[in-house]
Amino acid sequence: MAEARSAPTVGQIVLGLRLRDLRERAGCSFTEAAYALSVNTTTVRRMEKAEVGLKPPYVEKLLRMYGLSEEETASFLSLVDEANRPGWWHSFRDVLPPWFSLYVSLEGEASLIRAYEPHCVPGLLQTEEYARALLRTGFPSADEEELDRRVQLRMGRQRLLQDPDAPVLWAVLDEQVLRRHVGSPAVMREQIDRLVELSKQQNITLQIIPFTAGAHPGMFGPFQLFRFDIPELPDIVYTEGLTGATYLDQRPDTAAYLEVLDRMGAQAAPVPHTETVLGEIRKEF
C-alpha cells in the first residue's frame, strides 16, 4: 500500500495535501478511507503527510471513493507517477543525507528563496574551489572521490539559478562570511568575483551586513525561507544543525523568520552598495 523512503519530494508532499483535501471534501473520515484500503488509520495519515510513498492502485481506489471522475482520476495518477520519479539528486544519495534531500527538492521547486548566512557563502553561490575547500574541512576523513561527489552535487544544485523559471534568490550575508579565509587568497578572490557577477543577475539580490551595523536579529544562526507558486504549499523555513535539520511550515514560525529577514535587510548595506563592499574586501586578499 505504501512505500517507505528517506524523504519525500515536493511533488509527493503536494499530492498528499491534495489527497487530504479530497477526503475532507468528500466527507470521509480516516477510518472510512483506511477501511477502503484494508489498512489502519495511521497509514492514511502518513500518506497524506507524505511520510510514505504512494502506490497508484491504492491512490486510485481512494480517488474513486472520493468521487473523482475517470478523467480526474487519470490526471491525478499521472501526477503520482511523476512525483514518484527520483530527482536528479537521487544519484548522489551516497553523499546526500536523508534529511537534506528534502531541502534539495524544496530548493528546486521554490519561486523565492530568502537566506541568511553568518558563516560561509551559500551553497548556490559558491565557486567550485571554495566549495571544495569548505567540504574538505567539513568532511576531513573523505577521500578525493567522495569529495568530488560532494562538490558535483553542490555544483549541480546551482543549475537552477540559470533556468528560464529560476527562483528569485535574496541572500543576506554577514561581513565575516567574506573575511573568513576558505582556501587560499586566490580562492577567496575568485569567490568574491563570483558574488559580484551573480549579484548582477536579475533574479539574485545580495546584501552584506557590515560589522559596524552591530547586533541584529538573525544572530542565532543561518536559515533559509522557501516560498512556492504551488497553492497548497505554505512558506517553509529550513534550519540546520550538525547532524540534522528542522523544517518549519506553521504560519507563526515562518512569519517570525520573515520578519527577521526584513529587519536584517534594513540593517544591511543597501543593495546598490553590494558591489562596492565586495570590491573593498577583495583588496585584502
Side-chain angles (χ1 to χ4, degrees), residues 173-190:
L173 279 60
D174 264 330
E175 180 178 341
Q176 66 181 347
V177 169
L178 304 169
R179 295 192 180 279
R180 175 174 287 113
H181 291 229
V182 176
S184 67
V187 168
M188 290 302 301
R189 288 194 296 270
E190 180 187 32

Side-chain angles (χ1 to χ4, degrees), residues 1-2 29-47 52 58 61-62 66:
M1 283 151 296
S29 67
F30 282 116
T31 301
E32 291 170 323
Y35 181 80
L37 297 181
S38 300
V39 298
N40 58 39
T41 57
T42 300
T43 299
V44 177
R45 293 176 188 274
R46 295 186 69 196
M47 290 168 66
V52 293
Y58 297 95
K61 186 174 291 188
L62 287 177
Y66 300 156

Side-chain angles (χ1 to χ4, degrees), residues 68-146:
L68 270 67
S69 66
E70 293 282 347
E71 183 178 350
E72 290 170 327
T73 298
S75 177
F76 196 104
L77 290 174
S78 70
L79 294 177
V80 170
D81 288 338
E82 182 178 345
N84 284 340
R85 293 173 192 156
W88 65 266
W89 58 89
H90 184 72
S91 62
F92 288 93
R93 59 190 180 279
D94 56 318
V95 294
L96 182 64
W99 49 265
F100 194 67
S101 62
L102 176 56
Y103 179 98
V104 180
S105 183
L106 293 172
E107 186 178 67
E109 295 292 337
S111 59
L112 170 67
I113 303 171
R114 294 190 64 178
Y116 165 62
E117 180 53 68
H119 303 311
C120 59
V121 173
L124 288 179
L125 306 177
Q126 293 174 9
T127 65
E128 183 171 337
E129 291 308 312
Y130 182 99
R132 186 176 299 276
L134 198 63
L135 290 166
R136 181 175 285 114
T137 300
F139 299 92
S141 61
D143 58 26
E144 286 303 309
E145 182 179 358
E146 178 184 337

